[in-house]
Amino acid sequence: MVNPEEEKEEFFKEEQELLNRFKENITQNLSLGRITEEYKLLGSKYDALLRQTLKLMKIGDSNQRRLIRTQNELQATNLKLELTYNNLKSLSQLGQTLTSSLDTKEIILTINKHIQGIMDSEIITIGMYEEEKEIIKYKFLVKNHKFTPSLASETLKEDNFSSRCIIEKKEIIILDIETEYPNFVENSQKLWDEKLLSQVYIPLQVEDRVIGIFSVQSYNKDAYNINQLSILRTMASYVAIAIDNADAYKELSKKNKQLKEQMEKVKILNDKLEVEMDKSETLLLNILPKSIAERLKKGENIISDYFEEASVLFADIAGFTKMSSKMSSQEKLVDILNEIFTNFDKVTNKYKLEKIKTIGDCYMVAGGIPVPNEEHLIRITEASMEMIEAFNKIQYELQIDIGLRIGINAGPIVAGVIGKNKFVYDLWGDTVNIASRMESNGMIGRVNCSDYVFQKLNHKYIFEYRGELEVKGKGPMKMYFLEGKK
Amino acid sequence: MEKIVIPKTKSSPEIIMDYKGGLLEIIGESYPENSLAFYKPVFEWLDKCIQDKVELKVNFKLNYFNTSSSKCVIDLLDRLDKYFANSGIASIKWYYEEDDDDMMETGEEFSSDLKVPFQLVYY
């Protein structure tokens, strides 16, 4: 910084020198003439100094005024900036509110709330463009700041502000309808009120699609300035996004609902199907052993398995045919057969044997298939005795004249399923034929066994040897009645 | 003598001193820390011109100046006025922005009591 005293001396060098000389002179005894001279000189300098000071004062003042003016201008600019900032802030808040609302009524009411105080808005409306019908429906209207149901619509086929706005994808700004309407349309038409002098129509666009019109109107002329128009444009872009979102949401909700309904239907169908599947599964398992059913389901067409040793039992109801010709009711007959076989089924299940089939009044069961089992012959033997017991009980209860013959054999067997329709798990081989012969050569109330069975079970069971009996197609064969456990 | 140009800074104006054309231009804002020191070369140049009886044209195009700068301007003008009174040839132009009334007024203040031709020009 410059020292003020030095600065003074520098700035007013001449004056300072004069003053110093004067001070010096005045202390000396100078002549009056000389003093007068000095005074004159000092006076003229003083005069010049006063003049300069006055100038400086005035210049200083005007400089100050200038500064104050600049400051005021800056303040005004700041205020404007602040206002713009606030507008922007409230616009971006509006944007957030709008874009997150999914209902057009809510959208227009939000705009109504925000727009008040910023600009005139006697009419705020959102028109939805229906492309297929070529119309713009102004369903959403806020008139004098109140939501008013509206049925107004305009068609693209006519020349009006809305159709211009949609077709040309351009905003229409009218600040005095009386003088400006010919710039846009041939005939001035006022959709809502004769007195709406300022009208702004902004197309609602999402990318390239026009989805509607956002319009704000006022009773005053020149109601909208550049700033307000730019606010309206920003609002329009938010509205477009919001409505598009709302549409997408509605569409999504609709699809969702449809999907839910479809799923509901599918679920019902599925449930039904499951019940049906369960039924057919049960049926299948009634016909086929579980492991065989699984194999068929997996795609095996022909199943034929060889078993080194399995046992076969035939149980035939003797006298049934005779009885059936006497029975008045066929149904009763079937009931009796059903009861007997149901009891046999229980025995079969108890000993984990495989029921093969019934042929008329004959019941066929096997052991050691389809899952080989070392105990199969013992099991089938025990079963045979229980079958006779069960049969006798029924016969006693019903007092009917029938008898049960059982034959058992064991040996190698082929088991499987052949054919495509009405398939059944069946057994083939000599072992099966012999078992059948054991039954037919047996006696009522007895279990007739082959020599093979006797050889296998002799150590555990008591047998009555019957001798060799002639078997059709086989010749003489040793046979044994099962007496019971040892 | 060559043309001297003092480039403008944030607080001092651009100064062009062209001895051949007798041209002095002061353009910009003037509020240097030490005005007297800043304008010293201008005074020296002017004194040389006056001594050599150069025909002088002086243009002021100032947007802002502080009080000590205005004292220097007054001194410059006074010196030119004296030169003019002693039959030196000099003319002064004071430029101001068209709607800057205050700067025009300031120009008027500067020119008051001067005999040397002083013209107010807006741009």
Side-chain angles (χ1 to χ4, degrees), chain A residues 65-83:
Chain A
R65 275 199 304 277
R66 214 163 159 262
L67 273 178
I68 289 169
R69 203 186 68 206
T70 315
Q71 197 180 10
N72 287 342
E73 278 170 8
L74 270 174
Q75 263 172 3
T77 315
N78 270 346
L79 267 174
K80 233 178 177 174
L81 274 172
E82 211 171 307
L83 198 70

Side-chain angles (χ1 to χ4, degrees), chain A residues 1-2 7 10-12 14-15 45 49 51-52 54-56 58-60 62-63 65-67 69, chain B residues 33-34 36 63-65 67-68 70-72 74-75 78 100 102-103 105-106 109-110 112-114:
Chain A
M1 282 295 287
V2 186
E7 205 175 18
E10 276 285 301
F11 262 115
F12 300 99
E14 269 179 49
E15 288 85 351
K45 271 287 166 202
L49 206 60
R51 233 171 356 101
Q52 261 203 11
L54 193 67
K55 246 188 199 182
L56 273 173
K58 285 185 174 173
I59 289 164
S62 102
N63 235 347
R65 275 199 304 277
R66 214 163 159 262
L67 273 178
R69 203 186 68 206
Chain B
E33 199 176 312
N34 186 346
L36 212 60
N63 296 324
Y64 173 75
F65 43 85
T67 312
S68 63
S70 35
K71 160 75 176 155
C72 294
I74 287 174
D75 283 346
D78 277 349
D100 190 349
D102 290 313
M103 201 42 123
E105 233 171 75
T106 307
E109 287 304 331
F110 274 124
S112 65
D113 305 326
L114 295 183

Side-chain angles (χ1 to χ4, degrees), chain A residues 51-115:
Chain A
R51 233 171 356 101
Q52 261 203 11
T53 310
L54 193 67
K55 246 188 199 182
L56 273 173
M57 258 168 58
K58 285 185 174 173
I59 289 164
D61 283 353
S62 102
N63 235 347
Q64 201 173 19
R65 275 199 304 277
R66 214 163 159 262
L67 273 178
I68 289 169
R69 203 186 68 206
T70 315
Q71 197 180 10
N72 287 342
E73 278 170 8
L74 270 174
Q75 263 172 3
T77 315
N78 270 346
L79 267 174
K80 233 178 177 174
L81 274 172
E82 211 171 307
L83 198 70
T84 314
Y85 171 73
N86 283 336
N87 278 343
L88 275 176
K89 212 165 77 176
S90 84
L91 259 182
S92 90
Q93 279 165 354
L94 171 70
Q96 279 176 4
T97 318
L98 282 187
T99 46
S100 63
S101 68
L102 295 171
D103 173 23
T104 314
K105 186 177 168 184
E106 199 184 309
I107 290 169
I108 201 166
L109 286 174
T110 311
I111 286 182
N112 176 49
K113 211 169 82 187
H114 271 76
I115 217 168

Side-chain angles (χ1 to χ4, degrees), chain A residues 130-142:
Chain A
E130 294 183 12
E131 207 174 343
E132 284 167 21
K133 294 182 190 162
E134 295 197 314
I135 55 169
I136 301 111
K137 270 194 186 163
Y138 287 100
K139 266 204 295 192
F140 304 94
L141 175 70
V142 171

